[in-house]
Amino acid sequence: MARAFMNLNRMTTMACANQNQQQQNEVQVGNNSTSRVLILGGTGRVGGSTAIALSKLCPHLRIVVAGRNREKGAAMVAKLGKNSKFAEVDIEDAKSLETTLNDVDLVVHAAGPFQQLEKCSVLEAATRTKTAYLDVCDDTSYASRAKAYMDKALAANIPAITTGGIYPGVSNVMAAELVRAARSESEGEPERLRFYYYTAGSGGVGPTILATSFLLLGEEVVAYNKGEKVKLKPYSGMLNIDFGKGVRKKDVFLLNLPEVKSVHEVLGIPTVSARFGTSPFFWNWGMSAMTNLLPAEFLRDRSKVQEMVRLFDPLVRAVDAIAGERVSMRVDLECSDGRYTVGIFTHKKLSVSVGFSTAAFALAILEGSTQPGVWFPEEPEGIAIDAREVLLHRASEGTINFIMNKPPWMVETDPKEVILGIYV
């Protein structure tokens, strides 16, 4: 890498582009504002959104947009401005990848989907070139393989975060903060934590989220009940959840997501699960039908799933134009003494929000909030406890509803009155 990562600990403070939030969103980068960030998948929806968010939060950061399409790369560079450039990179070509990593301080791996990948090629290259690493992985198996690089990351003295996007990612940090508050303010112990996610249509992030959703339908759902691991059918266990203002009540279904295992193990919560839902309602019917009608082996086959994505993509884009791309996350925590708190995060555009969420993790790494090793977002070595507030503030840029540590009745659109003004 061009400069040893430890040099990034010598920070200088820079103001953000948004004058209205200049003091709140101050961004720290390495000496002389020369930190370089490589975004793999930078011409795609998630990677491109991350590049745009980084350029807004930190205009002087040098951004390298990487992909295989020069035309798309040139268009993104034109949008980002003079502190950006395009690099043609094939992540399956180890030599090409390592050559590119040698000239940057941080690599953001946004070239999904991550389901059914057998190797952590980018993380391997990052440890060899001593380059800090962040991925937006949303696959349990891939995240576990990434964690197995702990010794290599420690030997290389580089910080690395896996599952550092919006969900998982920001949702993990929200969960960690709910648990921290409960343990400091309550006499009871956290017993049950549930993740609920909603995205209208494909959320405007196109084929990637479509492929991810189809691949997840081929995986058994892992959840935890009173400390015991249980396996459940994907897209089952429907619940109707109130996401508060801007979204209201939506149906959500069980999916196998990595934050369930990591939160259970890292935060020590006995009962953990995750559910996801979309709209219009017939997309949920279609997802459920695919689970019931198609063999799991078919849904785990990346090539077959990509063919399905190409088939459905025009229809999905047409529906997206009507449904919009609103996204909402709700995290519920229940404690043994009856304490019940929630966090809610809602944005009108997933394609924008995922960029600010990922950018928030990237900036936290550049500012020295992450220790050497491979970490999940909820681990204090990944995002230091005193850095969580800043991360959540940056990630929540543009949200229409962002609430933490409130009882359900204060945030739901239809709270239930038990008696005499007491709500649940």
mmCIF file with all atom_site columns, all heavy atoms in Angstrom, residues 284-303:
data_model
loop_
_atom_site.group_PDB
_atom_site.id
_atom_site.type_symbol
_atom_site.label_atom_id
_atom_site.label_alt_id
_atom_site.label_comp_id
_atom_site.label_asym_id
_atom_site.label_entity_id
_atom_site.label_seq_id
_atom_site.pdbx_PDB_ins_code
_atom_site.Cartn_x
_atom_site.Cartn_y
_atom_site.Cartn_z
_atom_site.occupancy
_atom_site.B_iso_or_equiv
_atom_site.pdbx_formal_charge
_atom_site.auth_seq_id
_atom_site.auth_comp_id
_atom_site.auth_asym_id
_atom_site.auth_atom_id
_atom_site.pdbx_PDB_model_num
ATOM 1   N N   . ASN A 1 284 ? -44.042 -10.438 -1.986  1.00 0.00 ? 284 ASN A N   1
ATOM 2   C CA  . ASN A 1 284 ? -43.933 -11.371 -0.861  1.00 0.00 ? 284 ASN A CA  1
ATOM 3   C C   . ASN A 1 284 ? -44.559 -12.725 -1.219  1.00 0.00 ? 284 ASN A C   1
ATOM 4   O O   . ASN A 1 284 ? -44.011 -13.773 -0.875  1.00 0.00 ? 284 ASN A O   1
ATOM 5   C CB  . ASN A 1 284 ? -44.614 -10.795 0.388   1.00 0.00 ? 284 ASN A CB  1
ATOM 6   C CG  . ASN A 1 284 ? -43.836 -9.638  0.987   1.00 0.00 ? 284 ASN A CG  1
ATOM 7   O OD1 . ASN A 1 284 ? -42.613 -9.655  1.027   1.00 0.00 ? 284 ASN A OD1 1
ATOM 8   N ND2 . ASN A 1 284 ? -44.556 -8.636  1.453   1.00 0.00 ? 284 ASN A ND2 1
ATOM 9   N N   . TRP A 1 285 ? -45.693 -12.690 -1.897  1.00 0.00 ? 285 TRP A N   1
ATOM 10  C CA  . TRP A 1 285 ? -46.312 -13.949 -2.341  1.00 0.00 ? 285 TRP A CA  1
ATOM 11  C C   . TRP A 1 285 ? -45.371 -14.697 -3.279  1.00 0.00 ? 285 TRP A C   1
ATOM 12  O O   . TRP A 1 285 ? -45.211 -15.915 -3.185  1.00 0.00 ? 285 TRP A O   1
ATOM 13  C CB  . TRP A 1 285 ? -47.622 -13.644 -3.072  1.00 0.00 ? 285 TRP A CB  1
ATOM 14  C CG  . TRP A 1 285 ? -48.729 -13.164 -2.199  1.00 0.00 ? 285 TRP A CG  1
ATOM 15  C CD1 . TRP A 1 285 ? -48.687 -12.987 -0.835  1.00 0.00 ? 285 TRP A CD1 1
ATOM 16  C CD2 . TRP A 1 285 ? -50.043 -12.780 -2.614  1.00 0.00 ? 285 TRP A CD2 1
ATOM 17  N NE1 . TRP A 1 285 ? -49.888 -12.517 -0.387  1.00 0.00 ? 285 TRP A NE1 1
ATOM 18  C CE2 . TRP A 1 285 ? -50.745 -12.380 -1.444  1.00 0.00 ? 285 TRP A CE2 1
ATOM 19  C CE3 . TRP A 1 285 ? -50.688 -12.741 -3.831  1.00 0.00 ? 285 TRP A CE3 1
ATOM 20  C CZ2 . TRP A 1 285 ? -52.056 -11.939 -1.485  1.00 0.00 ? 285 TRP A CZ2 1
ATOM 21  C CZ3 . TRP A 1 285 ? -52.007 -12.300 -3.879  1.00 0.00 ? 285 TRP A CZ3 1
ATOM 22  C CH2 . TRP A 1 285 ? -52.683 -11.906 -2.715  1.00 0.00 ? 285 TRP A CH2 1
ATOM 23  N N   . GLY A 1 286 ? -44.754 -13.955 -4.193  1.00 0.00 ? 286 GLY A N   1
ATOM 24  C CA  . GLY A 1 286 ? -43.849 -14.578 -5.142  1.00 0.00 ? 286 GLY A CA  1
ATOM 25  C C   . GLY A 1 286 ? -42.633 -15.197 -4.462  1.00 0.00 ? 286 GLY A C   1
ATOM 26  O O   . GLY A 1 286 ? -42.208 -16.310 -4.820  1.00 0.00 ? 286 GLY A O   1
ATOM 27  N N   . MET A 1 287 ? -42.079 -14.492 -3.478  1.00 0.00 ? 287 MET A N   1
ATOM 28  C CA  . MET A 1 287 ? -40.916 -15.018 -2.742  1.00 0.00 ? 287 MET A CA  1
ATOM 29  C C   . MET A 1 287 ? -41.305 -16.295 -2.000  1.00 0.00 ? 287 MET A C   1
ATOM 30  O O   . MET A 1 287 ? -40.558 -17.283 -1.991  1.00 0.00 ? 287 MET A O   1
ATOM 31  C CB  . MET A 1 287 ? -40.419 -13.966 -1.750  1.00 0.00 ? 287 MET A CB  1
ATOM 32  C CG  . MET A 1 287 ? -39.949 -12.683 -2.394  1.00 0.00 ? 287 MET A CG  1
ATOM 33  S SD  . MET A 1 287 ? -38.232 -12.706 -2.914  1.00 0.00 ? 287 MET A SD  1
ATOM 34  C CE  . MET A 1 287 ? -37.433 -12.307 -1.373  1.00 0.00 ? 287 MET A CE  1
ATOM 35  N N   . SER A 1 288 ? -42.479 -16.274 -1.374  1.00 0.00 ? 288 SER A N   1
ATOM 36  C CA  . SER A 1 288 ? -42.943 -17.457 -0.653  1.00 0.00 ? 288 SER A CA  1
ATOM 37  C C   . SER A 1 288 ? -43.175 -18.619 -1.614  1.00 0.00 ? 288 SER A C   1
ATOM 38  O O   . SER A 1 288 ? -42.817 -19.768 -1.321  1.00 0.00 ? 288 SER A O   1
ATOM 39  C CB  . SER A 1 288 ? -44.239 -17.124 0.098   1.00 0.00 ? 288 SER A CB  1
ATOM 40  O OG  . SER A 1 288 ? -44.707 -18.240 0.806   1.00 0.00 ? 288 SER A OG  1
ATOM 41  N N   . ALA A 1 289 ? -43.757 -18.330 -2.795  1.00 0.00 ? 289 ALA A N   1
ATOM 42  C CA  . ALA A 1 289 ? -44.019 -19.377 -3.783  1.00 0.00 ? 289 ALA A CA  1
ATOM 43  C C   . ALA A 1 289 ? -42.718 -19.982 -4.289  1.00 0.00 ? 289 ALA A C   1
ATOM 44  O O   . ALA A 1 289 ? -42.611 -21.206 -4.470  1.00 0.00 ? 289 ALA A O   1
ATOM 45  C CB  . ALA A 1 289 ? -44.832 -18.803 -4.939  1.00 0.00 ? 289 ALA A CB  1
ATOM 46  N N   . MET A 1 290 ? -41.712 -19.157 -4.521  1.00 0.00 ? 290 MET A N   1
ATOM 47  C CA  . MET A 1 290 ? -40.413 -19.660 -4.983  1.00 0.00 ? 290 MET A CA  1
ATOM 48  C C   . MET A 1 290 ? -39.804 -20.607 -3.962  1.00 0.00 ? 290 MET A C   1
ATOM 49  O O   . MET A 1 290 ? -39.241 -21.650 -4.315  1.00 0.00 ? 290 MET A O   1
ATOM 50  C CB  . MET A 1 290 ? -39.464 -18.494 -5.262  1.00 0.00 ? 290 MET A CB  1
ATOM 51  C CG  . MET A 1 290 ? -39.826 -17.701 -6.501  1.00 0.00 ? 290 MET A CG  1
ATOM 52  S SD  . MET A 1 290 ? -38.785 -16.228 -6.705  1.00 0.00 ? 290 MET A SD  1
ATOM 53  C CE  . MET A 1 290 ? -37.193 -16.980 -6.916  1.00 0.00 ? 290 MET A CE  1
ATOM 54  N N   . THR A 1 291 ? -39.934 -20.254 -2.686  1.00 0.00 ? 291 THR A N   1
ATOM 55  C CA  . THR A 1 291 ? -39.398 -21.109 -1.625  1.00 0.00 ? 291 THR A CA  1
ATOM 56  C C   . THR A 1 291 ? -40.084 -22.468 -1.621  1.00 0.00 ? 291 THR A C   1
ATOM 57  O O   . THR A 1 291 ? -39.432 -23.500 -1.400  1.00 0.00 ? 291 THR A O   1
ATOM 58  C CB  . THR A 1 291 ? -39.591 -20.429 -0.255  1.00 0.00 ? 291 THR A CB  1
ATOM 59  O OG1 . THR A 1 291 ? -38.990 -19.134 -0.289  1.00 0.00 ? 291 THR A OG1 1
ATOM 60  C CG2 . THR A 1 291 ? -38.956 -21.249 0.855   1.00 0.00 ? 291 THR A CG2 1
ATOM 61  N N   . ASN A 1 292 ? -41.382 -22.459 -1.867  1.00 0.00 ? 292 ASN A N   1
ATOM 62  C CA  . ASN A 1 292 ? -42.149 -23.706 -1.811  1.00 0.00 ? 292 ASN A CA  1
ATOM 63  C C   . ASN A 1 292 ? -42.054 -24.539 -3.084  1.00 0.00 ? 292 ASN A C   1
ATOM 64  O O   . ASN A 1 292 ? -42.144 -25.773 -3.025  1.00 0.00 ? 292 ASN A O   1
ATOM 65  C CB  . ASN A 1 292 ? -43.623 -23.386 -1.529  1.00 0.00 ? 292 ASN A CB  1
ATOM 66  C CG  . ASN A 1 292 ? -43.839 -22.849 -0.126  1.00 0.00 ? 292 ASN A CG  1
ATOM 67  O OD1 . ASN A 1 292 ? -43.236 -23.328 0.830   1.00 0.00 ? 292 ASN A OD1 1
ATOM 68  N ND2 . ASN A 1 292 ? -44.694 -21.846 0.009   1.00 0.00 ? 292 ASN A ND2 1
ATOM 69  N N   . LEU A 1 293 ? -41.859 -23.874 -4.238  1.00 0.00 ? 293 LEU A N   1
ATOM 70  C CA  . LEU A 1 293 ? -41.937 -24.592 -5.509  1.00 0.00 ? 293 LEU A CA  1
ATOM 71  C C   . LEU A 1 293 ? -40.579 -24.956 -6.103  1.00 0.00 ? 293 LEU A C   1
ATOM 72  O O   . LEU A 1 293 ? -40.465 -25.957 -6.818  1.00 0.00 ? 293 LEU A O   1
ATOM 73  C CB  . LEU A 1 293 ? -42.720 -23.751 -6.518  1.00 0.00 ? 293 LEU A CB  1
ATOM 74  C CG  . LEU A 1 293 ? -44.185 -23.450 -6.165  1.00 0.00 ? 293 LEU A CG  1
ATOM 75  C CD1 . LEU A 1 293 ? -44.805 -22.531 -7.209  1.00 0.00 ? 293 LEU A CD1 1
ATOM 76  C CD2 . LEU A 1 293 ? -44.994 -24.744 -6.044  1.00 0.00 ? 293 LEU A CD2 1
ATOM 77  N N   . LEU A 1 294 ? -39.564 -24.158 -5.815  1.00 0.00 ? 294 LEU A N   1
ATOM 78  C CA  . LEU A 1 294 ? -38.254 -24.415 -6.421  1.00 0.00 ? 294 LEU A CA  1
ATOM 79  C C   . LEU A 1 294 ? -37.343 -25.152 -5.447  1.00 0.00 ? 294 LEU A C   1
ATOM 80  O O   . LEU A 1 294 ? -37.331 -24.844 -4.250  1.00 0.00 ? 294 LEU A O   1
ATOM 81  C CB  . LEU A 1 294 ? -37.597 -23.091 -6.833  1.00 0.00 ? 294 LEU A CB  1
ATOM 82  C CG  . LEU A 1 294 ? -38.315 -22.301 -7.927  1.00 0.00 ? 294 LEU A CG  1
ATOM 83  C CD1 . LEU A 1 294 ? -37.584 -20.987 -8.192  1.00 0.00 ? 294 LEU A CD1 1
ATOM 84  C CD2 . LEU A 1 294 ? -38.423 -23.116 -9.211  1.00 0.00 ? 294 LEU A CD2 1
ATOM 85  N N   . PRO A 1 295 ? -36.560 -26.118 -5.925  1.00 0.00 ? 295 PRO A N   1
ATOM 86  C CA  . PRO A 1 295 ? -35.623 -26.832 -5.049  1.00 0.00 ? 295 PRO A CA  1
ATOM 87  C C   . PRO A 1 295 ? -34.579 -25.879 -4.469  1.00 0.00 ? 295 PRO A C   1
ATOM 88  O O   . PRO A 1 295 ? -34.140 -24.934 -5.145  1.00 0.00 ? 295 PRO A O   1
ATOM 89  C CB  . PRO A 1 295 ? -34.965 -27.856 -5.989  1.00 0.00 ? 295 PRO A CB  1
ATOM 90  C CG  . PRO A 1 295 ? -35.856 -27.938 -7.179  1.00 0.00 ? 295 PRO A CG  1
ATOM 91  C CD  . PRO A 1 295 ? -36.510 -26.610 -7.315  1.00 0.00 ? 295 PRO A CD  1
ATOM 92  N N   . ALA A 1 296 ? -34.171 -26.123 -3.239  1.00 0.00 ? 296 ALA A N   1
ATOM 93  C CA  . ALA A 1 296 ? -33.169 -25.273 -2.592  1.00 0.00 ? 296 ALA A CA  1
ATOM 94  C C   . ALA A 1 296 ? -31.875 -25.257 -3.394  1.00 0.00 ? 296 ALA A C   1
ATOM 95  O O   . ALA A 1 296 ? -31.182 -24.233 -3.466  1.00 0.00 ? 296 ALA A O   1
ATOM 96  C CB  . ALA A 1 296 ? -32.916 -25.760 -1.165  1.00 0.00 ? 296 ALA A CB  1
ATOM 97  N N   . GLU A 1 297 ? -31.544 -26.400 -4.013  1.00 0.00 ? 297 GLU A N   1
ATOM 98  C CA  . GLU A 1 297 ? -30.307 -26.478 -4.802  1.00 0.00 ? 297 GLU A CA  1
ATOM 99  C C   . GLU A 1 297 ? -30.357 -25.500 -5.976  1.00 0.00 ? 297 GLU A C   1
ATOM 100 O O   . GLU A 1 297 ? -29.341 -24.892 -6.337  1.00 0.00 ? 297 GLU A O   1
ATOM 101 C CB  . GLU A 1 297 ? -30.097 -27.903 -5.334  1.00 0.00 ? 297 GLU A CB  1
ATOM 102 C CG  . GLU A 1 297 ? -29.827 -28.947 -4.262  1.00 0.00 ? 297 GLU A CG  1
ATOM 103 C CD  . GLU A 1 297 ? -31.082 -29.354 -3.510  1.00 0.00 ? 297 GLU A CD  1
ATOM 104 O OE1 . GLU A 1 297 ? -32.200 -29.030 -4.001  1.00 0.00 ? 297 GLU A OE1 1
ATOM 105 O OE2 . GLU A 1 297 ? -30.960 -29.958 -2.423  1.00 0.00 ? 297 GLU A OE2 1
ATOM 106 N N   . PHE A 1 298 ? -31.526 -25.334 -6.573  1.00 0.00 ? 298 PHE A N   1
ATOM 107 C CA  . PHE A 1 298 ? -31.695 -24.388 -7.685  1.00 0.00 ? 298 PHE A CA  1
ATOM 108 C C   . PHE A 1 298 ? -31.465 -22.965 -7.186  1.00 0.00 ? 298 PHE A C   1
ATOM 109 O O   . PHE A 1 298 ? -30.771 -22.166 -7.831  1.00 0.00 ? 298 PHE A O   1
ATOM 110 C CB  . PHE A 1 298 ? -33.100 -24.529 -8.267  1.00 0.00 ? 298 PHE A CB  1
ATOM 111 C CG  . PHE A 1 298 ? -33.387 -23.602 -9.415  1.00 0.00 ? 298 PHE A CG  1
ATOM 112 C CD1 . PHE A 1 298 ? -33.196 -24.015 -10.723 1.00 0.00 ? 298 PHE A CD1 1
ATOM 113 C CD2 . PHE A 1 298 ? -33.855 -22.311 -9.191  1.00 0.00 ? 298 PHE A CD2 1
ATOM 114 C CE1 . PHE A 1 298 ? -33.455 -23.158 -11.788 1.00 0.00 ? 298 PHE A CE1 1
ATOM 115 C CE2 . PHE A 1 298 ? -34.116 -21.451 -10.237 1.00 0.00 ? 298 PHE A CE2 1
ATOM 116 C CZ  . PHE A 1 298 ? -33.916 -21.874 -11.538 1.00 0.00 ? 298 PHE A CZ  1
ATOM 117 N N   . LEU A 1 299 ? -32.047 -22.636 -6.023  1.00 0.00 ? 299 LEU A N   1
ATOM 118 C CA  . LEU A 1 299 ? -31.952 -21.283 -5.484  1.00 0.00 ? 299 LEU A CA  1
ATOM 119 C C   . LEU A 1 299 ? -30.562 -20.960 -4.945  1.00 0.00 ? 299 LEU A C   1
ATOM 120 O O   . LEU A 1 299 ? -30.241 -19.792 -4.727  1.00 0.00 ? 299 LEU A O   1
ATOM 121 C CB  . LEU A 1 299 ? -32.997 -21.089 -4.383  1.00 0.00 ? 299 LEU A CB  1
ATOM 122 C CG  . LEU A 1 299 ? -34.448 -21.087 -4.862  1.00 0.00 ? 299 LEU A CG  1
ATOM 123 C CD1 . LEU A 1 299 ? -35.405 -21.195 -3.685  1.00 0.00 ? 299 LEU A CD1 1
ATOM 124 C CD2 . LEU A 1 299 ? -34.744 -19.824 -5.679  1.00 0.00 ? 299 LEU A CD2 1
ATOM 125 N N   . ARG A 1 300 ? -29.736 -21.978 -4.742  1.00 0.00 ? 300 ARG A N   1
ATOM 126 C CA  . ARG A 1 300 ? -28.358 -21.750 -4.285  1.00 0.00 ? 300 ARG A CA  1
ATOM 127 C C   . ARG A 1 300 ? -27.370 -21.702 -5.450  1.00 0.00 ? 300 ARG A C   1
ATOM 128 O O   . ARG A 1 300 ? -26.177 -21.490 -5.240  1.00 0.00 ? 300 ARG A O   1
ATOM 129 C CB  . ARG A 1 300 ? -27.943 -22.839 -3.285  1.00 0.00 ? 300 ARG A CB  1
ATOM 130 C CG  . ARG A 1 300 ? -28.620 -22.739 -1.932  1.00 0.00 ? 300 ARG A CG  1
ATOM 131 C CD  . ARG A 1 300 ? -27.893 -23.574 -0.901  1.00 0.00 ? 300 ARG A CD  1
ATOM 132 N NE  . ARG A 1 300 ? -28.056 -24.999 -1.166  1.00 0.00 ? 300 ARG A NE  1
ATOM 133 C CZ  . ARG A 1 300 ? -28.967 -25.776 -0.576  1.00 0.00 ? 300 ARG A CZ  1
ATOM 134 N NH1 . ARG A 1 300 ? -29.800 -25.237 0.298   1.00 0.00 ? 300 ARG A NH1 1
ATOM 135 N NH2 . ARG A 1 300 ? -29.048 -27.067 -0.853  1.00 0.00 ? 300 ARG A NH2 1
ATOM 136 N N   . ASP A 1 301 ? -27.846 -21.903 -6.646  1.00 0.00 ? 301 ASP A N   1
ATOM 137 C CA  . ASP A 1 301 ? -26.994 -21.913 -7.836  1.00 0.00 ? 301 ASP A CA  1
ATOM 138 C C   . ASP A 1 301 ? -26.896 -20.486 -8.391  1.00 0.00 ? 301 ASP A C   1
ATOM 139 O O   . ASP A 1 301 ? -27.860 -19.932 -8.935  1.00 0.00 ? 301 ASP A O   1
ATOM 140 C CB  . ASP A 1 301 ? -27.582 -22.850 -8.893  1.00 0.00 ? 301 ASP A CB  1
ATOM 141 C CG  . ASP A 1 301 ? -26.664 -23.052 -10.082 1.00 0.00 ? 301 ASP A CG  1
ATOM 142 O OD1 . ASP A 1 301 ? -26.093 -22.060 -10.569 1.00 0.00 ? 301 ASP A OD1 1
ATOM 143 O OD2 . ASP A 1 301 ? -26.541 -24.214 -10.537 1.00 0.00 ? 301 ASP A OD2 1
ATOM 144 N N   . ARG A 1 302 ? -25.723 -19.866 -8.254  1.00 0.00 ? 302 ARG A N   1
ATOM 145 C CA  . ARG A 1 302 ? -25.558 -18.470 -8.647  1.00 0.00 ? 302 ARG A CA  1
ATOM 146 C C   . ARG A 1 302 ? -25.866 -18.241 -10.131 1.00 0.00 ? 302 ARG A C   1
ATOM 147 O O   . ARG A 1 302 ? -26.479 -17.229 -10.496 1.00 0.00 ? 302 ARG A O   1
ATOM 148 C CB  . ARG A 1 302 ? -24.127 -17.997 -8.339  1.00 0.00 ? 302 ARG A CB  1
ATOM 149 C CG  . ARG A 1 302 ? -23.867 -17.763 -6.856  1.00 0.00 ? 302 ARG A CG  1
ATOM 150 C CD  . ARG A 1 302 ? -22.399 -17.446 -6.605  1.00 0.00 ? 302 ARG A CD  1
ATOM 151 N NE  . ARG A 1 302 ? -21.977 -16.234 -7.258  1.00 0.00 ? 302 ARG A NE  1
ATOM 152 C CZ  . ARG A 1 302 ? -21.985 -15.022 -6.691  1.00 0.00 ? 302 ARG A CZ  1
ATOM 153 N NH1 . ARG A 1 302 ? -22.409 -14.891 -5.440  1.00 0.00 ? 302 ARG A NH1 1
ATOM 154 N NH2 . ARG A 1 302 ? -21.554 -13.972 -7.344  1.00 0.00 ? 302 ARG A NH2 1
ATOM 155 N N   . SER A 1 303 ? -25.463 -19.159 -10.991 1.00 0.00 ? 303 SER A N   1
ATOM 156 C CA  . SER A 1 303 ? -25.695 -18.970 -12.429 1.00 0.00 ? 303 SER A CA  1
ATOM 157 C C   . SER A 1 303 ? -27.179 -19.013 -12.759 1.00 0.00 ? 303 SER A C   1
ATOM 158 O O   . SER A 1 303 ? -27.669 -18.208 -13.559 1.00 0.00 ? 303 SER A O   1
ATOM 159 C CB  . SER A 1 303 ? -24.938 -20.033 -13.228 1.00 0.00 ? 303 SER A CB  1
ATOM 160 O OG  . SER A 1 303 ? -25.399 -21.337 -12.904 1.00 0.00 ? 303 SER A OG  1
#
